[in-house]
Amino acid sequence: MFGGVSASAVIGRRGLLTGAASLGGAVLIGTPRASAAPASPMLWQRPDRSGAPRVAGLHLQFGADASREVVVSWHTTVSVSGPTVLLGSPGGGFGHTEAAETTTYRDAKSGTEVQVHHARLTNLRPDTDYVYAATHDGAAPELGTVRTAPRGRAAFTFTSFGDQGTPTLGRLSGTTWVNDNLGSPAGGDVTAGVERIAPLFHLVNGDLCYANLATDRIRTWSDWFENTSRSARYRPWMPAAGNHENELGNGPVGYGAYQTYFTVPDAGAEEPLRGLWYSFTAGAVRIISLNNDDVCYQDGGNSYVRGYSGGAQQRWLERELAASRANPDIDWIVVCMHQVVVSTVDKFNGADRGVRESWVPLFDRYGVDLVVCGHEHHYERSHPVRGQQPNDTLTPIPVATGTDTIDTTKGTVHMVIGGGGTSVPSNQLFFNPARCRVITGVGPVDSSTGKRSPIYVTEDAPWSAVRDPDHAYGFAAFDVDPGRPGGTTAIHVTYYAVAGPYGDLTPVDRFTLTRPRKH
C-alpha cells in the first residue's frame, strides 16, 4: 500500500503518489500483508529538484522460464544513481526491492550515450499478478503490472506483429516536420489494439522502429518506447532483431542499441552477439527468437552481416530444437524471426533462399509448429509445409490444403504479420494468381545505393493459403488451449485488422493449430 492507498489504485497514474501519506519529504510504502495487520512502512524519498531525468521507456521482458523471472527496464541519457525496482502484490504493497544493473552504448551517429537500467526479478510465483515501481534517485516512480506465465500446461494468450515504426515526426523538412523512420499513426493504433486483447506477452517480429533510417536514432528509439510502453510496462514485449535494427557503427555487428535496450534470456552466445537469439518457455510453449540477417542473402541493414555468427546461431538453433522437441513438458515450438520463407507480393523484399537452405530443414527435422515473421508489410499464411522441391528456390512443399484446422505434426505453418504500423504497407502488391519472388543471392555493390543487388527467381506458390489484400495494419492473437491428458492440444489463431486511435479490431482470419499432447 501507498500510505493507506492500495498499489492497484495508483497503477496507470504515471507514477503519481496522489493520496499517499507523507512524512516530511518522504512517502511511506506498506509491505505486503496477509491480514488486516498494520503494514510495515518503507521509506521512499520524494523526487527532489535536482533535475534528475525521469524514468523513460519502461518495458518488460521474460526470463528463460517465464513463470519465474521478469526483467524491468528503462533508460536515460545521463548517469543516475540508485536505479531500483520495488515489487509487490496488487492487494498488498511493495515489500521487495531489486537494484537494477546499467548497460550502455554510445550511438555512433550522434555521439550520445544511452544508459539502460535492468532489474531482474527472480523466484516469482507462476501465474501470479505483481505490481512494481521503477525509480532512480530524484525521479518520480513509474508503475506497472505484470503476470507471470503459468507453469505446465495451461491456457493463455499471446500476440504478434512486426514492422512498426513510430507515430511521431522526427525530421524537419524545410518548414514541415515529417516521419523519417517509415512510421505512421497506425503504429500507435496497433499498440492500442494489442492492449484490447491484453495478452500474457507480445512477440515483435523485427523492424521495431527503423532507427537506422532516422535522422536522430536516439529520438526514434525513445519515441518507439514512449508508444509501446503503454503496453510493454504491463506485459513483456519479446523482440526479434530485424534488418532495420542494424545501425552502422553501433556494436560489433550493428545491433548495439537493440542489445542494450533489451535483456532477453541468455543463450550462451559470445558477448558481441549476446541477445541476438534466445528462447523462453511459457506453459507448454517454447518460443525461439532468431536473427535472420546471419543467414539471409538480402543486403537490408546499414551493413552486410551475413554469416556474422560463424555458424554459432545455427548450431544453437539445432540444439534448442532438439531439446525442445524431446522435452515431455513442451508441446508447441514457435519460432519468431523477421525475414520470411514465404511471401506472395511483388516489388517488395520477397522470400530469402538463405533462410530456406539454412533453417527450414531444421524446422522440418524437429517439427516446428509455427513461424511468425514480419519484413513483408502485410498479412498472409501458408499451408503446413514439410520438405522442399529440388529447384533453385527450394520451394516449400505443402502437406495439406485445409485452411480451418491444421495438424502441425504434418508440417509447419508460416505467418507473415508485418502490418505493425509502417507507412509502406505491401497488401496491395499481391501476385494474382499467387507467386513468390525469392532472393537466391546478391550481385556486386550498386554504386547508387551502396547495397548488394538482390538476385530474384520467381516461383509458383503452392504453399499459399490465406492472404489479406484489404487491410494494411493488424496483428495476430494466439489462444493456447492445453487440452486434456491423452488428447490433443490446440492454438486458436485470430488475425485482427486494426483501425483508429483506439485500436478498433476486425477479425479477418481464424484457424486452429492442433497436435497431440505429450502427456
Side-chain angles (χ1 to χ4, degrees), residues 364-400:
D364 289 347
R365 185 179 311 158
Y366 297 103
V368 169
D369 298 285
L370 174 68
V371 177
V372 294
C373 300
H375 201 50
E376 306 289 83
H377 301 166
H378 63 269
Y379 171 73
E380 68 175 305
R381 64 178 165 100
S382 75
H383 293 300
V385 295
R386 183 67 49 83
Q388 298 167 299
Q389 294 182 22
N391 56 18
D392 288 345
T393 59
L394 303 176
T395 305
I397 299 172
V399 295

Side-chain angles (χ1 to χ4, degrees), residues 219-477:
R219 175 188 289 275
T220 300
W221 276 108
S222 176
D223 288 347
W224 187 77
F225 280 111
E226 287 298 302
N227 173 30
T228 60
S229 184
R230 296 181 293 155
S231 176
R233 69 172 60 199
Y234 303 123
R235 60 205 80 258
W237 279 41
M238 304 299 291
N243 54 293
H244 286 289
E245 274 65 72
N246 178 275
E247 302 174 337
L248 190 63
N250 284 356
V253 288
Y255 299 101
Y258 173 91
Q259 292 170 287
T260 304
Y261 284 116
F262 300 101
T263 292
V264 295
D266 181 25
E270 295 180 1
E271 181 58 28
L273 308 181
R274 173 189 47 81
L276 295 181
W277 56 85
Y278 64 92
S279 58
F280 67 98
T281 299
V285 180
R286 188 68 167 170
I287 306 291
I288 299 174
S289 180
L290 302 174
N291 176 225
N292 312 59
D293 285 309
D294 191 15
V295 298
C296 282
Y297 285 107
Q298 187 177 26
D299 186 355
N302 276 169
S303 56
Y304 194 57
V305 294
R306 173 174 163 80
Y308 71 76
S309 80
Q313 182 173 195
Q314 179 144 338
R315 292 189 293 273
W316 172 86
L317 173 61
E318 180 155 20
R319 293 193 301 270
E320 176 64 34
L321 289 173
S324 297
R325 189 46 75 205
N327 189 329
D329 296 321
I330 293 176
D331 291 322
W332 298 96
I333 300 176
V334 176
V335 169
C336 174
M337 62 189 194
H338 183 59
Q339 287 94 331
V340 300
V341 172
V342 301
S343 174
T344 57
V345 296
D346 191 10
K347 301 174 183 176
F348 218 72
N349 292 302
D352 200 296
R353 179 185 161 118
V355 186
R356 290 183 175 186
E357 63 190 7
S358 296
W359 291 350
V360 168
L362 296 179
F363 298 166
D364 289 347
R365 185 179 311 158
Y366 297 103
V368 169
D369 298 285
L370 174 68
V371 177
V372 294
C373 300
H375 201 50
E376 306 289 83
H377 301 166
H378 63 269
Y379 171 73
E380 68 175 305
R381 64 178 165 100
S382 75
H383 293 300
V385 295
R386 183 67 49 83
Q388 298 167 299
Q389 294 182 22
N391 56 18
D392 288 345
T393 59
L394 303 176
T395 305
I397 299 172
V399 295
T401 56
T403 57
D404 295 330
T405 301
I406 300 163
D407 180 355
T408 60
T409 64
K410 293 182 170 58
T412 303
V413 173
H414 291 258
M415 296 180 69
V416 179
I417 318 170
T422 171
S423 60
V424 286
S426 54
N427 62 302
Q428 295 296 304
L429 300 176
F430 284 113
F431 281 104
N432 282 305
R435 301 273 291 163
C436 178
R437 291 200 313 158
V438 183
I439 300 171
T440 59
V442 290
V445 174
D446 184 331
S447 60
S448 65
T449 64
K451 298 287 186 183
R452 292 161 177 80
S453 303
I455 299 169
Y456 283 105
V457 175
T458 302
E459 68 178 10
D460 292 332
W463 40 259
S464 178
V466 174
R467 311 186 291 174
D468 179 21
D470 299 321
H471 305 94
Y473 303 110
F475 65 93

Side-chain angles (χ1 to χ4, degrees), residues 206-224:
D207 284 5
L208 284 62
C209 63
Y210 299 86
N212 73 336
L213 302 179
T215 305
D216 187 338
R217 301 196 295 208
I218 301 298
R219 175 188 289 275
T220 300
W221 276 108
S222 176
D223 288 347
W224 187 77

Side-chain angles (χ1 to χ4, degrees), residues 8-351:
S8 58
V10 297
I11 295 299
R13 295 188 183 179
R14 298 186 58 78
L16 296 177
L17 303 184
T18 305
S22 63
L23 180 63
V27 175
L28 298 181
I29 303 167
T31 56
R33 54 185 181 176
S35 66
S40 173
M42 294 178 0
L43 198 62
W44 189 347
Q45 283 297 125
R46 287 190 184 279
D48 61 25
R49 299 184 180 276
S50 64
R54 69 184 183 89
V55 172
L58 189 62
H59 64 281
L60 302 169
Q61 264 76 64
F62 276 139
D65 180 352
S67 73
R68 304 283 291 174
E69 184 176 2
V70 172
V71 179
V72 180
S73 303
W74 68 100
H75 59 260
T76 59
T77 54
V78 298
S79 295
V80 298
S81 58
T84 303
V85 165
L86 283 79
L87 181 70
S89 63
F94 295 87
H96 174 77
T97 62
E98 190 69 41
E101 295 184 356
T102 298
T103 59
T104 68
Y105 80 98
R106 186 173 298 278
D107 178 55
K109 186 174 181 181
S110 65
T112 301
E113 183 179 73
V114 177
Q115 302 199 4
V116 188
H117 317 288
H118 305 280
R120 189 181 300 275
L121 309 175
T122 59
N123 298 316
L124 303 176
R125 294 185 297 274
D127 205 22
T128 300
D129 289 313
Y130 289 90
V131 296
Y132 68 89
T135 188
H136 48 258
D137 291 350
E142 284 281 342
L143 295 111
T145 64
V146 64
R147 185 173 186 86
T148 52
R151 192 172 185 84
R153 291 172 173 85
F156 64 90
T157 298
F158 65 96
T159 54
S160 175
F161 68 68
D163 302 83
Q164 188 169 25
T166 78
T168 51
L169 307 179
R171 178 172 65 86
L172 188 62
S173 178
T175 58
T176 303
W177 283 93
V178 299
N179 184 289
D180 62 352
N181 59 61
L182 297 189
S184 79
D189 303 345
V190 176
T191 297
V194 167
E195 279 307 281
R196 288 216 168 189
I197 300 298
L200 177 67
F201 60 90
H202 176 65
L203 299 178
V204 194
N205 311 336
D207 284 5
L208 284 62
C209 63
Y210 299 86
N212 73 336
L213 302 179
T215 305
D216 187 338
R217 301 196 295 208
I218 301 298
R219 175 188 289 275
T220 300
W221 276 108
S222 176
D223 288 347
W224 187 77
F225 280 111
E226 287 298 302
N227 173 30
T228 60
S229 184
R230 296 181 293 155
S231 176
R233 69 172 60 199
Y234 303 123
R235 60 205 80 258
W237 279 41
M238 304 299 291
N243 54 293
H244 286 289
E245 274 65 72
N246 178 275
E247 302 174 337
L248 190 63
N250 284 356
V253 288
Y255 299 101
Y258 173 91
Q259 292 170 287
T260 304
Y261 284 116
F262 300 101
T263 292
V264 295
D266 181 25
E270 295 180 1
E271 181 58 28
L273 308 181
R274 173 189 47 81
L276 295 181
W277 56 85
Y278 64 92
S279 58
F280 67 98
T281 299
V285 180
R286 188 68 167 170
I287 306 291
I288 299 174
S289 180
L290 302 174
N291 176 225
N292 312 59
D293 285 309
D294 191 15
V295 298
C296 282
Y297 285 107
Q298 187 177 26
D299 186 355
N302 276 169
S303 56
Y304 194 57
V305 294
R306 173 174 163 80
Y308 71 76
S309 80
Q313 182 173 195
Q314 179 144 338
R315 292 189 293 273
W316 172 86
L317 173 61
E318 180 155 20
R319 293 193 301 270
E320 176 64 34
L321 289 173
S324 297
R325 189 46 75 205
N327 189 329
D329 296 321
I330 293 176
D331 291 322
W332 298 96
I333 300 176
V334 176
V335 169
C336 174
M337 62 189 194
H338 183 59
Q339 287 94 331
V340 300
V341 172
V342 301
S343 174
T344 57
V345 296
D346 191 10
K347 301 174 183 176
F348 218 72
N349 292 302

